[in-house]
Amino acid sequence: MTSAVNHFTYGLITPLLAYVMSCIGSMLGLRLTAQAHASRGGARVRWLLGAAVSIGGTGIWVMHFIAMMGFEVEGTQIKYDVWLTAASAVVAIVVVGTGLFLVSYGGGRLLALLGGGLLTGLGVASMHYLGMYAMNMSAHVSYDRLTVALSVGIAVVAATVALWFTLRVKKPIWITGAALVMGVAVAGMHYTGMYAMHVTVDPEPGVVPGADALDFLVPLMTVISLITLTMLLMVILSPSEEELHEDAELVAKLEMRRRTAQQEQLPYPAPMPRQQTVHARRR
């Protein structure tokens, strides 16, 4: 028997909340990458790692499972495999981090951008379908291949655009706009992939193994979301790359003025008397 699949059990609450979290994670990630471009050495690596956790962890993984809170299949209970769900989070963070490092250390070259976008997009799609595979239900699940291919294409394009944003977007107002666009892309990829799913409930539903979403996912997503919001507030209050550049220029100007003032205060050697000068010339 073919089940009634409902992606919006709680109405627009889950998709809107998922979109908001995707935008917040993307915004934080873009701010962190901007800080990374203004840094060197170990500080740059730390900023990029933070951006990977923000975009991959909050912008993609948390968004995915918030949206899944509204997913329901009539006739069967849905539970989640704990290890596969955790693995999907690791996949999202690792692939986003790899793409960020490729683009950041690739000098902005087109090949690095396209390679990073392809790798990250395929990784994001893998995270999405791994998260869906982590769902346990008393039913048979199949996918429409064309729609799956479309969702993967959306993921690759969205990842490439997101990485391009990390290179070009610096000012807060543009970062906000870019985060809104990234949120649309991630949500679009998610619901396209979900639309590819076809579920047929077993005639005699059995016991479904795994953890319940309310007991496992909700506390985990809440903790990650609170950490992300705290980090976002800290980054917003910290100076931007442009402000750091202006401060460096101001410090350089003040140092130049100080050195000029010191040189003007140096005593000049006293001139020799005229007779001693003539005597010295005769010698």
Side-chain angles (χ1 to χ4, degrees), residues 1-256:
M1 120 184 190
T2 302
S3 69
V5 176
N6 187 1
H7 296 282
F8 308 104
T9 304
Y10 304 105
L12 294 178
I13 294 178
T14 50
L16 287 177
L17 184 57
Y19 173 71
V20 169
M21 289 309 302
S22 182
C23 291
I24 290 175
S26 300
M27 187 183 301
L28 175 58
L30 291 174
R31 286 298 302 265
L32 292 176
T33 52
Q35 295 285 351
H37 294 155
S39 306
R40 294 293 181 270
R44 187 177 191 181
V45 173
R46 289 191 293 271
W47 287 121
L48 289 175
L49 290 176
V53 174
S54 302
I55 297 176
T58 302
I60 297 173
W61 188 84
V62 171
M63 175 272 156
H64 171 89
F65 284 102
I66 288 179
M68 292 305 296
M69 292 293 100
F71 179 74
E72 182 183 57
V73 178
E74 184 180 345
T76 180
Q77 187 179 16
I78 299 176
K79 292 189 176 182
Y80 292 88
D81 185 292
V82 173
W83 293 108
L84 286 178
T85 303
S88 67
V90 174
V91 168
I93 294 172
V94 169
V95 296
V96 170
T98 303
L100 289 174
F101 274 87
L102 280 175
V103 171
S104 181
Y105 288 94
R109 292 190 295 270
L110 180 62
L111 184 61
L113 176 61
L114 295 178
L118 177 62
L119 177 64
T120 305
L122 293 176
V124 169
S126 299
M127 171 268 144
H128 173 82
Y129 287 103
L130 182 60
M132 292 167 66
Y133 185 71
M135 290 190 301
N136 294 327
M137 63 183 83
S138 185
H140 173 72
V141 179
S142 60
Y143 295 92
D144 179 77
R145 295 182 179 180
L146 184 60
T147 310
V148 169
L150 177 61
S151 69
V152 174
I154 294 175
V156 171
V157 173
T160 305
V161 173
L163 293 176
W164 183 84
F165 280 146
T166 64
L167 291 173
R168 305 299 179 189
V169 177
K170 307 295 181 185
K171 295 183 178 180
I173 185 170
W174 292 112
I175 287 178
T176 303
L180 295 176
V181 173
M182 290 170 64
V184 171
V186 173
M189 181 269 160
H190 170 84
Y191 284 106
T192 301
M194 293 300 296
Y195 184 73
M197 174 189 288
H198 300 288
V199 182
T200 303
V201 177
D202 296 337
E204 297 180 2
V207 179
V208 179
D212 188 76
L214 293 177
D215 297 332
F216 168 56
L217 285 176
V218 172
L220 184 60
M221 290 188 298
T222 301
V223 172
I224 295 176
S225 301
L226 290 176
I227 293 174
T228 302
L229 289 172
T230 302
M231 291 177 61
L232 180 60
L233 290 175
M234 292 174 61
V235 172
I236 289 176
L237 294 176
S238 66
S240 63
E241 180 181 1
E242 184 178 354
E243 292 171 340
L244 290 173
H245 182 68
E246 292 176 353
D247 291 343
E249 288 184 344
L250 179 60
V251 171
K253 289 180 180 179
L254 292 175
E255 180 65 18
M256 182 64 70

